[in-house]
Amino acid sequence: MKSTRTALIQMSCVASTDANLEKAASLVVEAAREGAKLICLPELFRAQYFCQREDHALFSIAESIPGPSTERLSAIVREHQVTVVASLFERRAPGLYHNTAAILDPASTAEHNIQGIYRKMHIPDDPLYYEKFYFTPGDLGFKAMKTSAAHIGTLVCWDQWYPEGARITALQGANILFYPTAIGWHPSEKEEFGTAQYEAWQTIQRAHAIANGVFVCSVNRVGHEQGDVNDIKGPEGAGLEFWGGSFIADPFGRILKQAAHDEEDILIADLDPQLVEVTRQHWPFLRDRRIDAYGNITSRFID
């Protein structure tokens, strides 16, 4: 077992979806030139975060998988022999859309080197995060997959808060969990709650790393956005300030790399699968699970 050089692309987004795709592509190439073999982009990187309002016109930016984004990125995947996790607004069928992560691998013989896809399972509906208007909940379940770089699992943003998703993905053999993310502060709340919100977000994901004995890689965007997408303007007002802070945690929950809150960055770390083995030997949480006693976990609430 050898280490996998892994990169997270923390980027800002502009109104132009074409410009965002080209920027993402250039950053993936930059990471590859620094030796990364496994590269993850932030959630819905092709656009500013449009779910700040409900607007039927925005369904026009969805794309098929395979589609334009996977075609553009697969050329890089083949040239540089890297595995890429790309979070996209998927148009599956007329009127049916998902928030989907496509995993592109140079060894895959499928169209655009698509090794597999994961459709976001947990869909939020909160002020300025109106995702239920756009996205159908995933129907593929939680998935791990073997790639040329590592055995990985991908979840997406709101999935971060649910230990069940991390557990099931790890139980399928994933040694690295990726969380492409778009999360930020309501500007009016930042002073009072901003630090606590970020720390809760990081803590829950570090807990996934510890509980499952895996690496956790969470990649966010940065910048203040109104949700402008091409020629469709977002509403005037406070918008969202995306808090960046992307990080990589090891199976002991230690932060290996962490980005700033207000700058673009490429986080790179060498992830050694042997550390998964050693950590699980010393903290044998999987060994001691009482699987005979967990039946009630599938209940909404135990009255």
Side-chain angles (χ1 to χ4, degrees), residues 268-281:
I268 294 180
D270 294 316
L271 308 187
D272 184 357
Q274 184 63 29
L275 187 57
V276 173
E277 181 78 25
V278 171
T279 302
R280 288 180 176 178
Q281 288 175 0

Side-chain angles (χ1 to χ4, degrees), residues 241-297:
E241 180 186 345
F242 291 91
W243 66 43
S246 303
F247 69 92
I248 300 172
D250 76 2
F252 210 69
R254 295 170 294 197
I255 301 297
L256 302 180
K257 295 282 185 176
Q258 181 172 326
H261 290 298
D262 57 357
E263 297 177 358
E264 295 184 314
D265 202 355
I266 300 177
L267 292 189
I268 294 180
D270 294 316
L271 308 187
D272 184 357
Q274 184 63 29
L275 187 57
V276 173
E277 181 78 25
V278 171
T279 302
R280 288 180 176 178
Q281 288 175 0
H282 289 82
W283 278 3
F285 300 141
L286 298 187
R287 181 196 69 188
D288 295 339
R289 294 177 65 238
R290 286 294 306 276
I291 58 175
D292 57 308
Y294 298 156
N296 285 340
I297 197 66

Side-chain angles (χ1 to χ4, degrees), residues 15-34:
S16 169
T17 54
D18 289 343
N20 290 324
L21 177 58
E22 287 308 308
K23 179 178 183 177
S26 67
L27 291 170
V28 168
V29 169
E30 183 177 343
R33 287 173 175 164
E34 293 186 38

